[in-house]
Amino acid sequence: MTIMAGGTTSDLAPTAASKIFSAGTAGCVADLVTFPLDTAKVRLQIQGESRSSAEGHTVKYRGVFGTIIAIVKTEGPRGLYSGLVAGLQRQMCFASVRIGLYDTMKQLYARGSENAGLGTRLLAGCTTGVMAVAFAQPTDVVKVRFQAQIRLRESRSVKRYNNTIDAYRTIARDEGFKGLWKGCLPNITRNAIVNCSELVTYDIIKELILKNNLMTDNMPCHFTAAFIAGFCTTIVASPVDVVKTRFMNSGSGQYSGAMTCALTMLVKEGPSAFYKGFVPSFLRLGSWNIVMFVSYEQIKRAVMRLQQS
Protein backbone atom coordinates (compact mmCIF):
# COMPACT_ATOMS: atom_id res chain seq x y z
CA MET A 1 0.00 0.00 0.00
CA THR A 2 1.42 3.38 -0.98
CA ILE A 3 0.18 6.84 -0.07
CA MET A 4 -0.42 7.42 -3.76
CA ALA A 5 -2.59 4.38 -4.19
CA GLY A 6 -5.94 5.13 -5.69
CA GLY A 7 -8.30 4.33 -8.49
CA THR A 8 -8.87 0.86 -9.84
CA THR A 9 -6.37 -1.90 -10.18
CA SER A 10 -6.41 -1.38 -13.93
CA ASP A 11 -4.85 2.05 -13.56
CA LEU A 12 -1.30 2.53 -14.69
CA ALA A 13 1.15 2.76 -11.79
CA PRO A 14 2.16 6.41 -11.35
CA THR A 15 5.75 7.14 -12.34
CA ALA A 16 8.21 8.90 -10.04
CA ALA A 17 8.01 11.98 -12.30
CA SER A 18 4.20 12.13 -12.02
CA LYS A 19 4.43 11.81 -8.22
CA ILE A 20 7.00 14.62 -8.02
CA PHE A 21 4.89 16.89 -10.24
CA SER A 22 1.68 16.08 -8.35
CA ALA A 23 3.32 16.70 -4.97
CA GLY A 24 4.81 20.05 -5.98
CA THR A 25 1.54 21.25 -7.52
CA ALA A 26 -0.55 20.08 -4.55
CA GLY A 27 1.88 21.80 -2.16
CA CYS A 28 1.39 25.10 -4.04
CA VAL A 29 -2.41 24.72 -3.92
CA ALA A 30 -2.25 24.08 -0.17
CA ASP A 31 0.02 27.09 0.39
CA LEU A 32 -2.31 29.40 -1.54
CA VAL A 33 -5.22 28.34 0.71
CA THR A 34 -3.43 28.35 4.08
CA PHE A 35 -0.74 31.05 3.75
CA PRO A 36 -2.43 33.62 6.06
CA LEU A 37 -2.45 30.99 8.84
CA ASP A 38 1.24 30.31 8.24
CA THR A 39 2.04 34.04 8.43
CA ALA A 40 0.10 34.32 11.70
CA LYS A 41 2.00 31.30 13.04
CA VAL A 42 5.38 32.86 12.20
CA ARG A 43 4.45 36.20 13.83
CA LEU A 44 3.31 34.45 17.02
CA GLN A 45 6.44 32.30 17.11
CA ILE A 46 8.85 35.25 16.88
CA GLN A 47 6.88 37.34 19.38
CA GLY A 48 9.05 37.81 22.44
CA GLU A 49 12.19 38.59 20.50
CA SER A 50 13.56 42.10 20.86
CA ARG A 51 12.11 43.27 17.57
CA SER A 52 9.82 46.23 17.30
CA SER A 53 8.23 48.14 14.52
CA ALA A 54 8.74 51.73 13.52
CA GLU A 55 9.06 54.46 16.18
CA GLY A 56 9.47 51.94 18.99
CA HIS A 57 5.88 50.76 18.83
CA THR A 58 5.70 47.05 19.51
CA VAL A 59 2.98 45.19 17.66
CA LYS A 60 1.54 42.51 19.94
CA TYR A 61 -0.41 39.55 18.64
CA ARG A 62 -3.03 37.60 20.57
CA GLY A 63 -4.27 34.35 19.10
CA VAL A 64 -4.40 33.30 15.50
CA PHE A 65 -7.43 35.36 14.44
CA GLY A 66 -6.30 38.35 16.53
CA THR A 67 -2.95 38.16 14.75
CA ILE A 68 -4.59 38.03 11.32
CA ILE A 69 -6.78 41.06 12.20
CA ALA A 70 -3.75 42.98 13.56
CA ILE A 71 -1.76 42.30 10.39
CA VAL A 72 -4.63 43.48 8.18
CA LYS A 73 -5.07 46.65 10.27
CA THR A 74 -1.40 47.61 10.37
CA GLU A 75 -0.15 46.31 7.02
CA GLY A 76 -3.21 45.75 4.90
CA PRO A 77 -4.50 42.41 3.53
CA ARG A 78 -1.33 41.96 1.45
CA GLY A 79 0.61 41.55 4.69
CA LEU A 80 -0.98 38.13 5.14
CA TYR A 81 0.60 36.98 1.88
CA SER A 82 4.04 38.49 2.41
CA GLY A 83 6.52 35.89 1.19
CA LEU A 84 3.98 33.97 -0.93
CA VAL A 85 6.24 33.92 -4.00
CA ALA A 86 9.08 32.38 -1.98
CA GLY A 87 6.53 30.02 -0.40
CA LEU A 88 5.40 28.75 -3.80
CA GLN A 89 9.04 28.41 -4.91
CA ARG A 90 9.65 26.43 -1.73
CA GLN A 91 6.77 24.04 -2.33
CA MET A 92 7.76 23.33 -5.93
CA CYS A 93 11.24 22.39 -4.69
CA PHE A 94 10.32 21.05 -1.27
CA ALA A 95 7.01 19.17 -1.45
CA SER A 96 7.95 17.62 -4.77
CA VAL A 97 10.98 15.97 -3.14
CA ARG A 98 9.81 15.13 0.39
CA ILE A 99 6.37 13.84 -0.64
CA GLY A 100 6.89 12.91 -4.28
CA LEU A 101 9.84 10.64 -3.55
CA TYR A 102 8.45 9.06 -0.36
CA ASP A 103 7.03 5.95 -2.06
CA THR A 104 10.17 5.53 -4.16
CA MET A 105 12.42 5.61 -1.08
CA LYS A 106 10.03 3.32 0.85
CA GLN A 107 10.14 0.73 -1.93
CA LEU A 108 13.93 1.07 -2.12
CA TYR A 109 14.38 0.39 1.60
CA ALA A 110 11.77 -2.39 1.51
CA ARG A 111 13.62 -3.93 -1.47
CA GLY A 112 10.50 -3.94 -3.60
CA SER A 113 8.20 -5.47 -0.98
CA GLU A 114 4.67 -4.04 -0.78
CA ASN A 115 4.51 -4.76 2.97
CA ALA A 116 6.84 -2.09 4.33
CA GLY A 117 7.23 -2.04 8.11
CA LEU A 118 7.05 1.00 10.39
CA GLY A 119 10.84 1.31 10.53
CA THR A 120 11.09 1.32 6.75
CA ARG A 121 8.43 4.02 6.46
CA LEU A 122 10.12 6.17 9.11
CA LEU A 123 13.47 5.81 7.36
CA ALA A 124 11.92 6.77 4.02
CA GLY A 125 10.26 9.82 5.62
CA CYS A 126 13.51 10.94 7.24
CA THR A 127 15.44 10.52 4.00
CA THR A 128 13.11 12.55 1.79
CA GLY A 129 12.76 15.22 4.50
CA VAL A 130 16.53 15.70 4.65
CA MET A 131 16.83 15.67 0.86
CA ALA A 132 14.13 18.34 0.54
CA VAL A 133 15.80 20.70 3.03
CA ALA A 134 19.19 20.31 1.35
CA PHE A 135 17.54 21.26 -1.94
CA ALA A 136 15.12 24.02 -0.91
CA GLN A 137 16.55 25.73 2.23
CA PRO A 138 17.17 29.18 0.63
CA THR A 139 13.49 29.46 -0.36
CA ASP A 140 12.46 28.67 3.22
CA VAL A 141 14.78 31.32 4.67
CA VAL A 142 13.39 33.99 2.34
CA LYS A 143 9.78 32.94 3.03
CA VAL A 144 10.25 33.21 6.81
CA ARG A 145 12.04 36.58 6.52
CA PHE A 146 9.18 38.01 4.46
CA GLN A 147 6.51 36.66 6.78
CA ALA A 148 8.31 38.00 9.85
CA GLN A 149 8.93 41.55 8.64
CA ILE A 150 6.45 44.13 9.87
CA ARG A 151 5.57 46.66 7.21
CA LEU A 152 3.37 49.43 8.56
CA ARG A 153 1.40 51.20 5.87
CA GLU A 154 2.43 54.62 7.20
CA SER A 155 6.14 53.81 7.25
CA ARG A 156 8.39 52.08 4.76
CA SER A 157 11.51 52.25 6.93
CA VAL A 158 11.00 48.84 8.49
CA LYS A 159 10.97 46.86 5.24
CA ARG A 160 13.88 44.45 5.16
CA TYR A 161 13.42 43.36 1.55
CA ASN A 162 11.56 44.82 -1.42
CA ASN A 163 10.87 41.58 -3.28
CA THR A 164 11.93 37.94 -3.46
CA ILE A 165 14.93 38.48 -5.73
CA ASP A 166 16.08 41.40 -3.57
CA ALA A 167 15.83 39.13 -0.51
CA TYR A 168 18.04 36.42 -2.04
CA ARG A 169 20.54 39.05 -3.18
CA THR A 170 20.57 40.99 0.10
CA ILE A 171 20.97 37.90 2.29
CA ALA A 172 23.82 36.58 0.12
CA ARG A 173 25.55 40.00 0.16
CA ASP A 174 25.13 40.85 3.85
CA GLU A 175 25.38 37.39 5.41
CA GLY A 176 27.32 35.47 2.79
CA PHE A 177 26.23 32.37 0.89
CA LYS A 178 25.77 30.53 4.18
CA GLY A 179 23.09 33.07 5.12
CA LEU A 180 20.78 31.45 2.57
CA TRP A 181 21.28 28.14 4.38
CA LYS A 182 20.76 29.61 7.86
CA GLY A 183 18.91 27.27 10.16
CA CYS A 184 19.61 24.30 7.92
CA LEU A 185 20.32 21.97 10.87
CA PRO A 186 17.12 22.76 12.84
CA ASN A 187 15.20 22.66 9.58
CA ILE A 188 16.61 19.22 8.76
CA THR A 189 15.63 18.08 12.27
CA ARG A 190 12.16 19.61 11.93
CA ASN A 191 11.48 18.14 8.53
CA ALA A 192 12.74 14.70 9.43
CA ILE A 193 10.22 14.80 12.30
CA VAL A 194 7.47 16.37 10.17
CA ASN A 195 7.94 13.93 7.33
CA CYS A 196 7.93 10.92 9.64
CA SER A 197 4.83 12.02 11.55
CA GLU A 198 2.98 13.49 8.57
CA LEU A 199 3.61 11.01 5.76
CA VAL A 200 3.89 7.88 7.88
CA THR A 201 0.73 8.73 9.87
CA TYR A 202 -1.18 9.46 6.66
CA ASP A 203 0.17 6.29 5.08
CA ILE A 204 -0.78 4.07 8.04
CA ILE A 205 -4.19 5.65 8.76
CA LYS A 206 -5.22 5.45 5.12
CA GLU A 207 -4.07 1.83 4.93
CA LEU A 208 -6.04 0.90 8.08
CA ILE A 209 -9.19 2.63 6.79
CA LEU A 210 -9.01 0.77 3.49
CA LYS A 211 -8.07 -2.62 5.02
CA ASN A 212 -11.01 -2.46 7.42
CA ASN A 213 -13.39 -1.27 4.69
CA LEU A 214 -14.34 1.80 6.73
CA MET A 215 -14.25 3.99 3.63
CA THR A 216 -13.40 3.70 -0.04
CA ASP A 217 -10.25 5.24 -1.49
CA ASN A 218 -11.82 8.65 -2.08
CA MET A 219 -12.01 12.14 -0.58
CA PRO A 220 -13.54 11.25 2.82
CA CYS A 221 -10.75 8.73 3.40
CA HIS A 222 -8.07 11.20 2.31
CA PHE A 223 -9.62 13.96 4.45
CA THR A 224 -9.70 11.80 7.60
CA ALA A 225 -6.14 10.50 7.22
CA ALA A 226 -4.81 13.99 6.45
CA PHE A 227 -6.55 15.57 9.47
CA ILE A 228 -5.12 12.99 11.89
CA ALA A 229 -1.68 13.35 10.31
CA GLY A 230 -1.79 17.14 10.73
CA PHE A 231 -2.69 16.90 14.43
CA CYS A 232 0.03 14.35 15.21
CA THR A 233 2.61 16.38 13.30
CA THR A 234 1.80 19.61 15.14
CA ILE A 235 2.26 18.02 18.57
CA VAL A 236 5.58 16.43 17.66
CA ALA A 237 7.14 19.16 15.53
CA SER A 238 6.04 22.40 17.21
CA PRO A 239 9.10 22.92 19.47
CA VAL A 240 11.57 22.40 16.63
CA ASP A 241 9.46 24.57 14.34
CA VAL A 242 9.55 27.52 16.76
CA VAL A 243 13.34 27.27 17.16
CA LYS A 244 13.75 27.01 13.38
CA THR A 245 11.62 30.11 12.79
CA ARG A 246 13.38 32.17 15.46
CA PHE A 247 16.84 31.19 14.25
CA MET A 248 16.14 31.72 10.55
CA ASN A 249 14.61 35.14 11.24
CA SER A 250 17.43 36.29 13.55
CA GLY A 251 19.92 38.98 12.62
CA SER A 252 23.58 38.23 12.04
CA GLY A 253 25.24 37.25 15.33
CA GLN A 254 22.03 37.24 17.38
CA TYR A 255 22.39 33.50 18.06
CA SER A 256 25.56 31.45 17.66
CA GLY A 257 23.52 28.39 16.73
CA ALA A 258 20.19 26.63 16.95
CA MET A 259 20.96 25.24 20.43
CA THR A 260 21.82 28.75 21.69
CA CYS A 261 18.53 29.98 20.28
CA ALA A 262 16.64 27.18 22.06
CA LEU A 263 18.44 27.78 25.39
CA THR A 264 17.80 31.54 25.15
CA MET A 265 14.10 30.89 24.60
CA LEU A 266 13.98 28.48 27.54
CA VAL A 267 15.73 30.88 29.94
CA LYS A 268 13.96 34.10 28.91
CA GLU A 269 10.46 32.83 28.08
CA GLY A 270 10.12 29.43 29.70
CA PRO A 271 9.11 26.03 28.24
CA SER A 272 5.80 27.38 26.91
CA ALA A 273 7.77 29.39 24.34
CA PHE A 274 8.35 26.17 22.40
CA TYR A 275 4.61 25.89 21.79
CA LYS A 276 4.02 29.50 20.80
CA GLY A 277 1.70 29.64 17.85
CA PHE A 278 0.44 26.09 18.49
CA VAL A 279 -3.17 26.83 17.49
CA PRO A 280 -2.24 28.50 14.19
CA SER A 281 0.32 25.74 13.67
CA PHE A 282 -2.41 23.12 14.02
CA LEU A 283 -4.92 25.12 11.97
CA ARG A 284 -2.29 25.59 9.32
CA LEU A 285 -0.87 22.05 9.35
CA GLY A 286 -4.28 20.42 9.61
CA SER A 287 -5.79 22.48 6.80
CA TRP A 288 -2.57 22.27 4.76
CA ASN A 289 -2.50 18.49 5.08
CA ILE A 290 -6.14 18.19 4.07
CA VAL A 291 -5.83 20.47 1.04
CA MET A 292 -2.47 19.03 0.01
CA PHE A 293 -3.29 15.31 0.30
CA VAL A 294 -6.75 15.64 -1.25
CA SER A 295 -5.30 17.73 -4.09
CA TYR A 296 -2.38 15.32 -4.38
CA GLU A 297 -4.57 12.28 -4.81
CA GLN A 298 -6.77 14.05 -7.39
CA ILE A 299 -3.87 15.52 -9.37
CA LYS A 300 -2.13 12.15 -9.32
CA ARG A 301 -5.22 10.46 -10.69
CA ALA A 302 -5.60 13.14 -13.37
CA VAL A 303 -1.98 12.58 -14.44
CA MET A 304 -2.57 8.82 -14.55
CA ARG A 305 -5.65 9.34 -16.73
CA LEU A 306 -3.54 11.46 -19.08
CA GLN A 307 -0.95 8.68 -19.16
CA GLN A 308 -3.64 6.14 -20.06
CA SER A 309 -5.06 8.32 -22.84
Side-chain angles (χ1 to χ4, degrees):
M1 174 70 67
T2 67
I3 68 169
M4 314 300 176
T8 65
T9 54
S10 62
D11 287 335
L12 288 173
T15 63
S18 68
K19 292 176 185 177
I20 290 170
F21 171 78
S22 299
T25 305
C28 288
V29 172
D31 251 26
L32 284 169
V33 174
T34 64
F35 208 79
L37 291 170
D38 194 38
T39 300
K41 179 203 74 172
V42 169
R43 295 291 181 89
L44 286 166
Q45 286 178 339
I46 65 171
Q47 189 163 254
E49 288 184 308
S50 56
R51 287 189 181 278
S52 60
S53 62
E55 301 175 356
H57 174 69
T58 302
V59 179
K60 292 189 176 181
Y61 305 112
R62 294 182 182 276
V64 56
F65 297 111
T67 300
I68 290 173
I69 292 169
I71 293 171
V72 172
K73 283 183 178 178
T74 57
E75 305 170 47
R78 289 181 62 186
L80 294 172
Y81 285 91
S82 184
L84 177 62
V85 173
L88 296 178
Q89 291 172 352
R90 175 180 179 267
Q91 290 303 335
M92 285 307 298
C93 300
F94 191 72
S96 58
V97 174
R98 80 176 183 91
I99 300 169
L101 290 178
Y102 171 75
D103 279 338
T104 302
M105 296 307 301
K106 185 172 70 173
Q107 289 166 6
L108 177 66
Y109 290 134
R111 298 180 180 178
S113 172
E114 286 297 316
N115 298 314
L118 178 61
T120 299
R121 299 182 203 218
L122 290 173
L123 186 57
C126 283
T127 302
T128 58
V130 171
M131 289 169 61
V133 173
F135 186 50
Q137 180 69 4
T139 62
D140 204 12
V141 172
V142 170
K143 180 186 81 77
V144 168
R145 296 284 182 94
F146 262 104
Q147 288 178 307
Q149 70 179 6
I150 299 172
R151 299 185 294 175
L152 300 183
R153 285 181 287 191
E154 65 272 16
S155 174
R156 297 181 180 178
S157 61
V158 291
K159 288 179 68 174
R160 296 172 80 179
Y161 313 107
N162 294 314
N163 53 57
T164 306
I165 300 300
D166 177 57
Y168 287 115
R169 186 185 301 118
T170 302
I171 294 170
R173 184 189 66 230
D174 296 347
E175 303 175 42
F177 182 74
K178 66 180 183 179
L180 290 169
W181 300 90
K182 191 170 191 177
C184 192
L185 182 59
N187 210 12
I188 284 175
T189 304
R190 174 191 179 271
N191 280 288
I193 294 170
V194 165
N195 241 32
C196 286
S197 53
E198 187 178 85
L199 294 181
V200 174
T201 301
Y202 180 84
D203 198 3
I204 292 173
I205 295 298
K206 180 183 172 184
E207 185 176 304
L208 288 172
I209 289 172
L210 296 178
K211 274 187 175 180
N212 291 284
N213 297 316
L214 300 176
M215 299 178 190
T216 58
D217 192 3
N218 283 303
M219 283 192 186
C221 171
H222 306 155
F223 180 97
T224 303
F227 182 85
I228 295 172
F231 183 73
C232 293
T233 302
T234 307
I235 292 175
V236 173
S238 220
V240 181
D241 191 34
V242 175
V243 173
K244 181 213 76 167
T245 300
R246 290 280 186 99
F247 187 60
M248 286 168 61
N249 183 58
S250 64
S252 181
Q254 185 175 353
Y255 302 115
S256 61
M259 286 302 298
T260 304
C261 177
L263 288 172
T264 302
M265 285 172 56
L266 182 62
V267 171
K268 289 187 174 181
E269 303 170 57
S272 63
F274 293 99
Y275 280 92
K276 276 193 171 182
F278 180 82
V279 173
S281 287
F282 172 61
L283 288 175
R284 196 265 176 180
L285 262 179
S287 58
W288 192 93
N289 270 272
I290 291 166
V291 176
M292 193 282 298
F293 279 117
V294 170
S295 299
Y296 193 7
E297 301 276 8
Q298 298 307 310
I299 293 169
K300 184 267 304 178
R301 290 181 182 183
V303 171
M304 290 170 69
R305 284 194 293 269
L306 285 174
Q307 285 180 300
Q308 286 179 314
S309 63

